[in-house]
Amino acid sequence: PSTEFNWDDYLKETNSQAAPPDCFKQHLTPPLNEFKPGMKLEAIDPRNETSTCVATVIGSIGPRLRLRLDGSDNSNDFWRLVDSSEINPVGTCEKQGGMLQPPLGYRNNASNWRNFLQRNLTGAEMASPKCFKKEPKSPPSNLFEVGMKLEAVDKKNPHLICVATVGDVKQDDFRIHVQFDGWRGAFDYWTTYDSREIFPVGWCRLSGHPLQPPGQKGKTGAGNVATAPKSKSLTQNPGTVDTTGNNHSRGAKAEVPEPETTLYINS
Ligand code: MLY
């Protein structure tokens, strides 16, 4: 339908430019996902980056894997690209002289870790080395400029990739400020220019990953608190989001009176 988000129209409407693809640590062609749910692999524990753990593929969206560390609970799932250097075939750690570690928050007694690991891996399907794609090279420097558009993971809802803008650039410490179009600042964050969680305009379409359209902030006739917490149905049904008009741009911020109370609903 015509209400679906379209980058070309949006860039025109907002009179803005896409960040060039060479700004990003991403392959020009998104990698193929050959993983299947249930497959085991090794992953760096995101909460304890010095330890390598066994993880299971819980699901995937396009080239992004939803992973869970074996022996951990189901509330600390995390996402990695199939070309991430933080995942490897089972056996890699040991080949390099390391030892697989229990995850932070291991739900059993640490003394039975060896037994757990053995039982856990027996009969399991290991992801084949060919599933793991080569990590792209980092750009030589921070090439981002303020105002450039991109697609970025919402770290608070990490299954989502959303329409975003570079709001600020720090040349000195390699960081950019990612701001989500049409959302109040609550989701914004600083990240390094070579983050694997930011993508060039068009990456979602190419990779088959859904793209969250801009939020409702600054929409005509709704410049109040009601627009800040976007309802779940809007989030999940981009067809109901009006993507026309200039009001979605960050520039519209000043035209909209800030509400006295901002209520964020974590759905
Ligand atoms: N649970 C929240 C999700 C908000 C997502 C915001 N991102 C897209 C910047 C909601 O549905 O309101």
Side-chain angles (χ1 to χ4, degrees):
S2 59
T3 48
E4 221 159 81
F5 180 75
N6 177 291
W7 263 120
D8 290 333
D9 296 346
Y10 186 67
L11 291 174
K12 280 194 205 105
E13 284 159 14
T14 56
N15 189 29
S16 54
Q17 238 125 62
D22 63 349
C23 293
F24 298 87
K25 186 174 185 171
Q26 303 291 351
H27 288 298
L28 289 180
T29 306
L32 189 66
N33 184 354
E34 300 183 78
F35 288 88
K36 299 269 176 298
M39 285 179 170
K40 305 278 188 199
L41 61 150
E42 290 180 2
I44 311 249
D45 184 343
R47 295 191 293 166
N48 183 19
E49 288 172 22
T50 56
S51 80
T52 304
C53 304
V54 179
T56 302
V57 177
I58 299 301
S60 63
I61 309 181
R64 299 181 74 219
L65 303 171
R66 179 175 168 172
L67 301 176
R68 186 174 301 164
L69 298 182
D70 291 11
S72 178
D73 56 83
N74 59 8
S75 58
N76 288 290
D77 289 358
F78 56 102
W79 294 80
R80 290 291 175 264
L81 287 162
V82 299
D83 59 3
S84 166
S85 61
E86 291 171 4
I87 57 171
N88 278 302
V90 172
T92 308
C93 178
E94 222 165 296
K95 250 181 244 160
Q96 294 168 351
M99 242 167 48
L100 291 170
Q101 303 292 320
L104 201 76
Y106 178 54
R107 54 176 151 73
N108 304 311
N109 192 316
S111 63
N112 73 14
W113 167 243
R114 283 277 123 201
N115 282 331
F116 172 86
L117 194 60
Q118 210 189 343
R119 262 186 293 118
N120 180 59
L121 287 175
T122 303
E125 185 180 5
M126 310 295 173
S128 142
K130 74 168 173 43
C131 299
F132 298 82
K133 309 301 182 189
K134 204 173 137 57
E135 189 181 59
K137 283 205 171 63
S138 284
S141 63
N142 190 348
L143 302 172
F144 288 102
E145 289 169 23
V146 172
M148 288 175 168
K149 298 287 182 192
L150 69 160
E151 300 178 358
V153 172
D154 173 357
K155 287 188 193 269
K156 291 183 176 161
N157 303 276
H159 59 294
L160 300 179
I161 298 184
C162 317
V163 169
T165 304
V166 178
D168 203 350
V169 180
K170 292 253 186 294
Q171 286 297 342
D172 45 334
D173 65 357
F174 314 104
R175 289 183 308 157
I176 65 168
H177 195 232
V178 174
Q179 301 181 342
F180 292 96
D181 290 34
W183 291 87
R184 293 174 194 282
F187 300 97
D188 300 352
Y189 57 85
W190 285 95
T191 192
T192 53
Y193 73 85
D194 61 353
S195 162
R196 300 306 319 280
E197 298 192 315
I198 54 175
F199 306 89
V201 162
W203 188 90
C204 280
R205 194 174 42 78
L206 282 176
S207 68
H209 194 292
L211 175 67
Q212 298 306 119
Q216 301 287 288
K217 187 186 74 181
K219 262 205 79 179
T220 317
N224 57 36
V225 69
T227 61
K230 193 166 72 168
S231 74
K232 200 155 197 162
S233 63
L234 280 177
T235 307
Q236 293 182 337
N237 183 1
T240 62
V241 177
D242 176 9
T243 58
T244 60
N246 290 325
N247 285 340
H248 294 294
S249 71
R250 303 294 299 190
K253 201 175 199 169
E255 293 150 34
V256 180
E258 289 288 332
E260 278 178 42
T261 311
T262 306
L263 174 64
Y264 295 102
I265 297 175
N266 183 4
S267 46

